[in-house]
Amino acid sequence: MRRLRLVLPRYNHGMTVNHVLGQLTLREFMRTYWQKKPVLIRQAISPFKPVLSRAALFALAAKDDVESRLITHFGAQWKLSHGPLLSLPPTTRKGWTILVQGVNLHHDAADQLLSQFRFIPDTRLDDLMISYATDGGGVGPHLDSYDVFLLQAYGRRRWRIGKQRDHALVDNVPLKLLRNFAPSAEYVLEPGDMLYLPPQWAHEGVAEGECMTYSIGFRAPSWQELGEAYLGFLAEQVDLPGRYQDPQLRPHTRPARISDDMLRQAREQLGSLGGKPRDVLIFLGEHLSEPKPSVWFPAIRSSMSLQTFNNAARKAGLRLSRQSRMLYRDKYIFINGESLRADGHDRLILQGLADERSLSPQVLRECSIDLNQTLLDWFGQGWIRFA
Ligand code: SIN
Ligand code: CO
């Protein structure tokens, strides 16, 4: 069984790890704490030698290919500026901190330190961020969506942590600070001590005198982010030869209706790319009703009330603007790239508008209030006009 020793022989850069959390092994750490609860590991790396001097960190923060931030908390005011940080407040001034992201990308010893955490798969590894703070400095109470090991490298830092449901943020500050931070534990870390925090644990670290902290962060992609990227990836792979054909087409009496044949062919071709049959229909309707790129609808900035609009429409009737493209199929109505569901009599009225490209005053009297409101919206966008 391997102990929670952070030195793997292949990546050793000279540090030794003497102490672990009691008899905590890597296996125990993963089983009991990883992604489950915080743990403080006193002297995780001992003796600990910082991989970077203060001057070297400041020099990195001044480079334009390095991501850095300066956060000051002077008086009661939080301020954030992004690097390159060419000038910093004096180190004798309390209440400021710099954070330098991805130090491992720029510095060998930092890269080696990070590689000691490869007992977590590379797919999760993000970067080594190093912060420097003067007395009282910190980034305020917050949550991270990453797992993080907070390794104290120099000086002392007081960490307060807690698992809270209330994620409300302070208004009008440039940082995402928790409005009601309610810590349940507090630790002062000395060089070599390390605190592990799973995602979404509220925390705040305040420097006690000058200090440097290394954050070894582990990313966990959101499914939304992965899903969007995956669809982009699939889009590049699409290979669907041929195009829609309809040599068997007969004269249409409902010109705006998406035909059975078109829907069937689209479902056969696009269905293989994923999505549900309904998605293919909605996509098809929205896509095929998209106006030509050169089309521009002069919006009618009308403050007309629904009542006035109804009265006028019921007198004159309505017609689709020449540029409007309107289609329908089943319960879906498509207009200028947008879709809506319509039921009952409203559906028939809208299908009539799509086929005839106009609505008579008489038919307009049969519209529901919802449909009237929709028509007023379309009127405002320049999609329909008084006949
Ligand atoms: C810091 O090092 O000051 C901030 C690290 C963190 O809270 O994630
Ligand atoms: Co944090």
Side-chain angles (χ1 to χ4, degrees), residues 250-281:
R250 298 281 173 269
H252 246 45
T253 50
R254 301 169 73 189
R257 182 173 179 270
I258 296 175
S259 71
D260 293 349
D261 188 48
M262 170 159 273
L263 189 56
R264 183 185 50 76
Q265 288 191 41
R267 281 183 171 153
E268 274 169 20
Q269 295 291 332
L270 305 186
S272 65
L273 305 177
K276 302 190 183 79
R278 196 192 57 173
D279 296 328
V280 174
L281 169 58

Side-chain angles (χ1 to χ4, degrees), residues 18-36:
N18 295 337
H19 290 81
V20 293
L21 190 65
Q23 287 303 297
L24 195 64
T25 61
L26 282 182
R27 199 177 290 274
E28 282 163 349
F29 166 74
M30 299 307 277
R31 193 176 53 221
T32 311
Y33 300 104
W34 175 253
Q35 291 252 298
K36 299 166 199 79

Side-chain angles (χ1 to χ4, degrees), residues 125-192:
L125 198 60
D126 189 29
D127 73 345
L128 171 67
M129 179 187 86
I130 300 187
S131 70
Y132 163 86
T134 59
D135 187 38
V139 303
H142 66 281
L143 298 164
D144 292 317
S145 47
Y146 287 10
D147 298 86
V148 68
F149 289 99
L150 297 157
L151 173 61
Q152 193 56 25
Y154 175 82
R156 289 150 51 102
R157 184 182 281 271
R158 182 176 299 271
W159 285 101
R160 294 188 301 150
I161 66 170
K163 181 83 179 140
Q164 60 186 69
R165 289 232 179 103
D166 181 353
H167 292 183
L169 300 178
V170 179
D171 293 326
N172 304 320
V173 285
L175 305 165
K176 287 188 172 172
L177 299 182
L178 289 169
R179 192 186 300 166
N180 306 308
F181 181 44
S184 53
E186 184 166 325
Y187 314 101
V188 177
L189 270 65
E190 309 259 355

Side-chain angles (χ1 to χ4, degrees), residues 32-316:
T32 311
Y33 300 104
W34 175 253
Q35 291 252 298
K36 299 166 199 79
K37 55 183 176 185
V39 60
L40 171 66
I41 305 165
R42 289 275 179 213
Q43 293 305 290
I45 300 181
S46 173
F48 182 79
K49 272 205 321 249
V51 297
L52 215 66
S53 67
R54 181 180 79 182
L57 187 70
F58 288 4
L60 270 185
K63 291 178 70 172
D64 52 14
D65 61 341
V66 176
E67 195 187 328
S68 60
R69 285 167 289 166
L70 165 67
I71 294 166
T72 59
H73 194 203
F74 299 150
Q77 214 192 352
W78 289 98
K79 271 198 181 156
L80 163 72
S81 21
H82 290 276
L85 303 170
L86 300 173
S87 73
L88 295 172
T91 54
T92 47
R93 182 154 190 194
K94 294 182 177 201
W96 65 271
T97 182
I98 59 163
L99 306 157
V100 183
Q101 211 72 50
V103 178
N104 53 297
L105 304 175
H106 305 280
H107 204 276
D108 276 345
D111 186 43
Q112 282 166 23
L113 175 65
L114 186 63
S115 67
Q116 292 180 51
F117 289 81
R118 294 184 75 195
F119 57 91
I120 312 288
D122 289 352
T123 47
R124 297 282 265 111
L125 198 60
D126 189 29
D127 73 345
L128 171 67
M129 179 187 86
I130 300 187
S131 70
Y132 163 86
T134 59
D135 187 38
V139 303
H142 66 281
L143 298 164
D144 292 317
S145 47
Y146 287 10
D147 298 86
V148 68
F149 289 99
L150 297 157
L151 173 61
Q152 193 56 25
Y154 175 82
R156 289 150 51 102
R157 184 182 281 271
R158 182 176 299 271
W159 285 101
R160 294 188 301 150
I161 66 170
K163 181 83 179 140
Q164 60 186 69
R165 289 232 179 103
D166 181 353
H167 292 183
L169 300 178
V170 179
D171 293 326
N172 304 320
V173 285
L175 305 165
K176 287 188 172 172
L177 299 182
L178 289 169
R179 192 186 300 166
N180 306 308
F181 181 44
S184 53
E186 184 166 325
Y187 314 101
V188 177
L189 270 65
E190 309 259 355
D193 292 345
M194 189 165 77
L195 176 62
Y196 163 72
L197 288 181
Q200 302 299 320
W201 271 75
H203 56 287
E204 178 179 34
V206 178
E208 300 212 329
E210 252 188 339
C211 94
M212 281 168 97
T213 303
Y214 296 179
S215 295
I216 298 101
F218 294 87
R219 61 187 178 164
S222 74
W223 294 121
Q224 181 67 27
E225 167 200 333
L226 272 193
E228 287 174 16
Y230 181 56
L231 288 181
F233 165 81
L234 289 182
E236 286 171 17
Q237 322 274 317
V238 174
D239 181 20
L240 293 176
R243 59 178 63 232
Y244 172 71
Q245 292 183 339
D246 49 8
Q248 74 299 345
L249 196 63
R250 298 281 173 269
H252 246 45
T253 50
R254 301 169 73 189
R257 182 173 179 270
I258 296 175
S259 71
D260 293 349
D261 188 48
M262 170 159 273
L263 189 56
R264 183 185 50 76
Q265 288 191 41
R267 281 183 171 153
E268 274 169 20
Q269 295 291 332
L270 305 186
S272 65
L273 305 177
K276 302 190 183 79
R278 196 192 57 173
D279 296 328
V280 174
L281 169 58
I282 295 177
F283 161 75
L284 196 64
E286 290 188 358
H287 186 72
L288 296 179
S289 67
E290 195 67 63
K292 280 186 183 294
S294 59
V295 167
W296 176 77
F297 292 95
I300 299 163
R301 290 194 146 271
S302 150
S303 53
M304 199 180 283
S305 71
L306 189 57
Q307 189 61 51
T308 315
F309 171 74
N310 280 345
N311 289 342
R314 284 170 193 187
K315 241 187 232 153

